[in-house]
Amino acid sequence: MFERNPNKDIFDEGYKSLQKGILLFGGSLVVLAILIFLFPALIGYMFAAFILFAGAAVLTVGWKVWQFKKHLASSEEWSIPVTASFKTEGPNYKRRRIFVVMK
């Protein structure tokens, strides 16, 4: 698994993987460009497919959020308000500050 080879650079494997990924991505872009030149209507189909998949993903997430809200409303555990008490006096008490940053 771990071999000591002083002639082998530590970044060889990562570099080869990165190089193959870039070549594969570039090749797929060239093939896509050729297909678009051969079939100009392909641009419209690709755009429509993107809109269809994005819409389906948003609907799926919305449905899951709706189911989660329904689950929380039916559960008695979540209907009870959460309270917290902090020990503010004593020998082991340390004052802490909490900063909330919102953008």
Side-chain angles (χ1 to χ4, degrees), residues 36-55:
I36 288 174
F37 277 123
L38 291 175
F39 307 105
L42 186 63
I43 295 173
Y45 287 126
M46 286 173 32
F47 189 68
F50 173 74
I51 292 174
L52 179 69
F53 289 133

Side-chain angles (χ1 to χ4, degrees), residues 13-82:
E13 188 175 336
Y15 177 76
K16 286 179 186 175
S17 178
L18 179 66
Q19 184 180 10
K20 286 179 186 176
I22 291 173
L23 288 175
L24 183 67
F25 183 65
S28 63
L29 286 178
V30 168
V31 169
L32 182 62
I34 291 171
L35 284 174
I36 288 174
F37 277 123
L38 291 175
F39 307 105
L42 186 63
I43 295 173
Y45 287 126
M46 286 173 32
F47 189 68
F50 173 74
I51 292 174
L52 179 69
F53 289 133
V58 170
L59 282 176
T60 304
V61 169
W63 182 75
K64 290 203 179 258
V65 168
W66 178 60
Q67 290 293 322
F68 184 66
K69 181 184 172 196
K70 204 163 109 177
H71 170 72
L72 290 181
S74 67
S75 175
E76 293 179 12
E77 178 183 343
W78 292 98
S79 61
I80 302 170
V82 178

